[in-house]
């Protein structure tokens, strides 16, 4: 999955040792003179100013060893199948996952925490932050010991440069949240001031404080264009080590990392080396795991999980197979229908395509009953709309009644349950009727419009296992006269075509933060991102009504109103059917060679094993991996 960057709203706690944690503080009531050590949405911070480490880590975890793994999620322009750039922060190209661990951010970053609070950040580069009266200006006091890997100091000038660069040229997930930033000023070497227009969401700042900070000096001498495989100068706990173009990358732990003893880092980043190998086919990666060349993987293919974890190392007890609870965050997995192409702009066409997916047959025959049907863009969370709209939801929806589908005012739209036969005649008949109503009528083996054009629908995929799952869907579409095909391309072409919106149908999976922000919504659903290359708005949604509901998400002043706004948005998204929801799993299916230590239970809001786990010499020796 490609998760979206972090956080949300503001409340806080005092950072000076002499000032106690502020109880039940609301954003509007936060004293402007207070230097805050952390920011949280809708409530108190869990950790006081003098905390020693996060509760979910082992502060005494030993350092050492190598962690060779297959990343289960990734960010920005990253890919797990290949890479052709080491710049993860530009719109184009394929970067290797986990490049973000080479960079520090103003406050805790997108990977490591805090993972036991739904909506908080704590100072990393920034020791404290102070708010202006109007909450449009944020002043950060940087830690004087912060430095880049070449030993040069990391200053407010680097921070100001980074935010201006991202606003102009960054990946959409960096660029969009900065749209209302009007200035980034280095007041002096250790003081950064970020200024916003007043049109930003109140929670925008908790997104941007997690952005990686780059070296101004480095980019004064090097282009910010993603070309080549030259490592960028970073400041984080790891730096790029050995690189085999397109095949493997190693991140080496920085022994003298300036921030290693900060409370936000203690007990984290324990491996001396993190290695990622790239395989064009999922089966090849699985074979590497079976041989012990890869040490950890999360299994995303139900058939493999059910039938193929019976290799010798499993039988010998050298490999552990288990499930970990999923995070308490909304998740989305769906097929995007590209409405930049005229034939998909009629909702009836999108609905007909959706009716051809027989989930019940797929679940039984291909998924070994391991997945459930997804219905929402905010699955597994309180943000998912259920039943009829509440009075509070109707307050948001009623002013938009003439602009949104009428289905948004009834029971929350759900995809119909099939008879499980693989070719449900009732659903396919309904799909044929919808196509006819939309002007696509049978003309021989295919349907055609008034111009004699057939209805062509192509699934774009980069994975043979996904192509296998989609085949029955494609065959049902062909049965009702849609010229449906599946095109499998290599990772580089897939990434490029997705960034340029050159596809008919494509799948995307991601998880939101536990407290979704307007910035998160904009990248996926807002008019502003509809034609921004590299944005996650794959269907090209450009609807003023959706934009208004996203603004309501941004205005939410407490968690109750946020839940209401996201549920109202969910109702309209489901009624529009820009995204066809498909399936989800309730847990992480993980397998790993028994050579690691970790603290249980896992935290509720993240699972970065490469950052939290550690190498156990005794366990490794017992299985011959010492």
């Amino acid at each position: 999955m490609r998760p979206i960057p972090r956080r949300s709203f503001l409340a806080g706690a005092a950072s000076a040792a002499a000032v106690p944690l502020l109880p039940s503080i609301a954003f509007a009531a936060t004293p402007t003179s207070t230097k805050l050590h952390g920011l949280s949405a809708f409530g108190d911070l869990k950790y006081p100013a003098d905390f020693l480490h996060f509760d979910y880590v082992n502060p005494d975890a030993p350092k050492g060893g190598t962690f060779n793994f297959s990343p289960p999620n990734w960010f920005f322009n990253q890919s797990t199948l290949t890479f052709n750039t080491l710049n993860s922060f530009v719109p184009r190209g394929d970067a290797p996952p986990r490049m973000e661990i080479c960079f520090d951010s103003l406050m805790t970053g997108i990977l490591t925490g805090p993972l036991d609070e739904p909506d908080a950040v704590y100072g990393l580069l920034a020791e404290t932050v102070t708010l202006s009266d109007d909450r449009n200006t944020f002043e950060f006091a940087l830690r004087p010991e912060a430095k880049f890997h070449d030993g040069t100091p990391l200053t407010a000038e680097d921070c100001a440069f980074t935010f201006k660069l991202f606003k102009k040229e960054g990946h959409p997930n960096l660029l969009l949240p900065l749209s209302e930033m009007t200035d980034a000023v280095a007041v002096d070497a250790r003081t950064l001031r970020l200024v916003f227009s007043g049109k930003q969401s109140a929670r925008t700042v908790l997104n941007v404080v997690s952005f990686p900070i780059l070296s101004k000096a480095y980019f004064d001498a090097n282009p910010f264009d993603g070309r080549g495989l030259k490592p960028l100068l970073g400041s984080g706990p790891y730096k790029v080590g050995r690189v085999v173009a397109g095949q493997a990358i190693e991140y080496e732990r920085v022994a003298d990392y300036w921030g290693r003893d900060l409370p936000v880092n203690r007990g984290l980043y324990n491996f001396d080396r993190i290695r990622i190998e790239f395989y064009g086919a999922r089966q090849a990666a699985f074979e590497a795991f079976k041989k012990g060349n890869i040490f950890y993987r999360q299994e995303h293919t139900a058939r493999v999980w059910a039938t193929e974890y019976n290799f010798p190392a499993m039988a010998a007890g050298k490999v552990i197979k288990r499930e970990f609870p999923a995070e308490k965050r909304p998740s989305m997995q769906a097929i995007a229908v590209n409405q930049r192409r005229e034939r998909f702009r009629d909702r009836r066409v999108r609905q007909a395509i959706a009716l051809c997916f027989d989930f019940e047959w797929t679940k039984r025959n291909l998924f070994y009953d391991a997945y459930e049907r997804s219905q929402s863009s905010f699955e597994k969370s309180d943000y998912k709309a259920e039943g009829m709209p509440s009075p509070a939801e109707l307050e948001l929806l009623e002013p938009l009644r003439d602009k949104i589908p009428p289905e948004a005012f009834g029971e929350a739209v759900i995809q119909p349950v099939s008879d499980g036969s693989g070719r449900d005649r009732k659903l396919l008949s309904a799909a044929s009727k919808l196509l006819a109503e939309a002007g696509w009528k049978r003309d021989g083996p295919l349907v055609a419009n008034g111009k004699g054009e057939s209805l062509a629908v192509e699934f774009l995929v980069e994975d043979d296992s996904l192509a296998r799952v989609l085949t029955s869907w494609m065959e049902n579409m062909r049965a009702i006269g849609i010229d449906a095909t599946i095109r499998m391309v290599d990772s580089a072409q897939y990434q490029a075509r997705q960034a340029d919106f050159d596809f008919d149908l494509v799948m995307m999976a991601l998880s939101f933060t536990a407290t979704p922000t307007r910035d998160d919504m904009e990248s996926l659903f807002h008019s502003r991102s509809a034609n921004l290359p590299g944005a996650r708005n794959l269907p090209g949604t450009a609807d003023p009504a959706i934009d208004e509901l996203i603004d309501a998400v941004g205005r939410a002043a407490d968690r109750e109103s946020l839940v209401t706004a996201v549920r109202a948005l969910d109702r309209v998204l489901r009624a529009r059917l820009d995204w066809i929801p498909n399936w989800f799993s309730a847990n992480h299916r993980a397998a790993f060679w028994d050579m690691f230590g970790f603290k249980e239970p896992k935290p509720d809001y993240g699972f970065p094993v490469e950052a939290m786990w550690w190498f156990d010499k005794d366990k490794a020796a017992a299985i011959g991996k010492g």
Side-chain angles (χ1 to χ4, degrees):
M1 294 181 290
R2 297 181 186 252
I4 290 177
R6 290 185 57 83
R7 297 296 181 191
S8 296
F9 205 56
L10 287 175
S15 63
V19 183
L21 183 69
L22 299 178
S24 304
I25 197 166
F27 175 54
T30 305
T32 56
S33 59
T34 302
K35 294 183 176 181
L36 308 171
H37 78 288
L39 304 170
S40 177
F42 314 135
D44 297 335
L45 290 167
K46 174 180 178 179
Y47 295 98
D50 58 353
F51 81 102
L52 299 179
H53 58 81
F54 293 133
D55 289 345
Y56 51 85
V57 305
N58 174 9
D60 301 316
K63 306 294 184 183
T66 295
F67 191 70
N68 190 345
F69 82 125
S70 297
N73 57 357
W74 53 96
F75 303 87
F76 309 124
N77 67 350
Q78 297 169 2
S79 170
T80 57
L81 300 182
T82 189
F83 64 95
N84 48 40
T85 179
L86 297 184
N87 188 341
S88 190
F89 314 121
V90 291
R92 297 185 181 278
D94 300 276
R98 299 306 178 262
M99 189 58 64
E100 60 278 357
I101 64 178
C102 298
F103 301 86
D104 285 316
S105 50
L106 290 174
M107 306 186 86
T108 43
I110 59 177
L111 187 66
T112 55
L115 304 178
D116 54 353
E117 292 181 87
D119 42 34
V121 291
Y122 292 86
L124 202 169
L125 285 169
E127 187 171 11
T128 64
V129 56
T130 305
L131 286 59
S132 67
D133 288 335
D134 61 6
R135 277 42 180 177
N136 293 329
T137 301
F138 303 86
E139 196 157 281
F140 300 87
L142 303 186
R143 300 182 191 273
E145 64 270 32
K147 63 180 180 179
F148 290 104
H149 294 151
D150 64 356
T152 58
L154 190 158
T155 70
E157 188 176 13
D158 297 298
C159 299
F161 164 80
T162 298
F163 288 111
K164 291 177 180 178
L165 179 65
F166 286 162
K167 178 174 180 175
K168 183 179 179 182
E169 302 179 44
H171 186 277
N173 282 1
L174 300 165
L175 181 152
L176 286 169
L178 295 171
S179 60
E180 296 300 333
M181 185 190 77
T182 58
D183 208 353
V185 181
V187 178
D188 55 42
R190 297 299 167 197
T191 308
L192 170 72
R193 182 180 298 147
L194 294 182
V195 184
F196 293 84
S197 68
K199 297 179 182 179
Q200 78 284 357
S201 166
R203 298 181 293 278
T204 290
V205 68
L206 286 182
N207 199 343
V208 304
V209 295
S210 69
F211 289 177
I213 298 300
L214 308 181
S215 164
K216 181 178 184 299
Y218 177 89
F219 283 105
D220 283 345
N222 296 277
F224 184 73
D225 58 10
R227 289 182 293 180
L229 292 174
K230 182 179 179 180
L232 281 59
L233 178 61
S235 63
Y238 288 87
K239 63 181 178 180
V240 174
R242 184 167 178 260
V243 175
V244 182
Q247 299 179 44
I249 186 170
E250 292 181 355
Y251 299 103
E252 298 176 352
R253 187 168 62 84
V254 178
D256 63 347
Y257 168 48
W258 74 270
R260 63 187 180 278
D261 294 323
L262 293 177
V264 295
N265 289 329
R266 195 168 292 132
L268 294 167
Y269 310 119
N270 302 311
F271 295 107
D272 280 347
R273 185 175 295 102
I274 294 175
R275 179 177 171 86
I276 300 172
E277 297 178 10
F278 296 76
Y279 297 89
R282 189 172 292 187
Q283 189 62 34
F286 181 54
E287 293 300 323
F289 173 74
K290 290 163 60 177
K291 294 175 183 177
N293 296 332
I294 292 175
F295 303 148
Y296 175 94
R297 66 181 270 116
Q298 289 188 36
E299 185 56 67
H300 300 293
T301 303
R303 173 184 56 81
V304 174
W305 185 253
T307 65
E308 296 190 27
Y309 279 82
N310 53 9
F311 47 92
M314 281 286 302
K318 296 181 178 182
V319 172
I320 304 295
K321 176 189 177 188
R322 62 172 286 185
E323 295 191 11
F324 293 89
E327 285 67 66
K328 296 179 179 179
R329 299 186 336 211
S331 67
M332 170 182 175
Q333 182 166 302
I335 294 287
V337 186
N338 188 358
Q339 293 167 57
R340 300 170 189 84
R341 300 186 172 177
E342 185 176 357
R343 59 188 181 275
F344 301 126
R345 292 175 189 164
D346 192 313
R347 181 185 181 276
R348 293 169 294 188
V349 172
R350 303 194 296 275
Q351 188 177 3
I353 292 171
L355 288 171
C356 292
F357 176 42
D358 191 329
F359 172 76
E360 284 65 37
W361 181 91
T362 304
K363 177 182 179 180
R364 185 179 69 251
N365 290 278
L366 301 180
F367 288 163
Y368 294 81
D369 292 324
Y371 291 102
E372 298 301 326
R373 182 66 192 265
S374 179
Q375 301 288 354
S376 166
S377 295
F378 310 98
E379 200 63 62
K380 300 188 293 184
S381 78
D382 291 339
Y383 302 106
K384 177 182 177 181
E386 302 277 7
M388 295 294 292
S390 68
E393 290 171 52
L394 287 173
E395 285 187 23
L396 296 174
L397 295 172
E398 282 294 352
L400 305 173
R401 182 173 284 274
D402 295 336
K403 302 177 183 178
I404 59 180
E407 292 84 355
F409 292 92
E411 294 277 344
V413 172
I414 60 172
Q415 300 305 304
V417 177
S418 76
D419 62 11
S421 66
R423 188 160 293 186
D424 188 315
R425 293 185 178 182
K426 182 178 180 181
L427 295 184
L428 295 183
S429 175
S432 294
K433 183 178 179 180
L434 285 167
L435 291 179
E437 291 173 356
W440 298 92
K441 300 183 179 179
R442 202 79 184 214
D443 183 14
L446 299 174
V447 295
N449 60 14
K451 301 177 184 178
E453 301 166 331
S454 62
L455 178 56
V457 175
E458 178 185 271
F459 286 105
L460 182 69
V461 301
E462 60 176 344
D463 188 300
D464 54 357
S465 65
L466 181 57
R468 176 174 172 266
V469 170
L470 294 177
T471 295
S472 62
W473 195 343
M474 175 194 71
E475 290 173 348
N476 277 342
M477 282 194 275
R478 296 189 69 84
I480 63 170
I482 298 174
D483 184 13
T485 56
I486 297 172
R487 180 179 296 274
M488 191 164 72
V489 298
D490 62 47
S491 178
Q493 186 178 356
Y494 181 86
Q495 192 93 320
R497 288 186 61 174
Q498 184 172 274
D500 290 334
F501 309 121
D502 182 17
F503 57 84
D504 292 344
L505 275 64
V506 70
M507 181 181 287
M508 186 174 70
L510 59 83
S511 61
F512 293 91
T513 56
T515 305
T517 70
R518 188 181 76 181
D519 304 310
D520 297 343
M521 305 296 109
E522 284 187 349
S523 179
L524 283 160
F525 311 124
H526 199 283
S527 302
R528 185 177 294 130
S529 61
N531 293 300
L532 182 62
R536 303 287 186 250
N537 188 345
L538 301 181
T541 305
D543 185 332
I546 293 288
D547 295 349
E548 288 188 40
L549 290 171
I550 291 173
D551 287 342
V553 171
R555 291 192 304 268
D558 52 47
R559 187 168 295 281
E560 183 179 1
S561 57
L562 177 65
V563 170
T564 295
V566 178
R567 285 179 180 174
L569 174 63
D570 186 38
R571 290 181 184 279
V572 180
L573 291 171
R574 289 158 68 174
R576 284 180 54 91
L577 213 61
D578 300 343
W579 300 85
I580 302 173
N582 43 53
W583 57 84
F584 71 91
S585 174
N587 298 308
H588 296 289
R589 297 189 297 262
F592 51 94
W593 287 73
D594 190 14
M595 52 195 286
F596 304 111
F598 51 90
K599 187 172 181 178
E600 297 202 72
K602 67 172 281 295
D604 287 336
Y605 301 106
F607 194 41
V609 296
E610 67 276 23
M612 297 190 302
W613 289 16
W614 61 90
F615 181 73
D616 188 313
K617 291 182 179 180
D618 293 338
K619 285 185 176 181
I623 65 171
K625 289 283 189 180

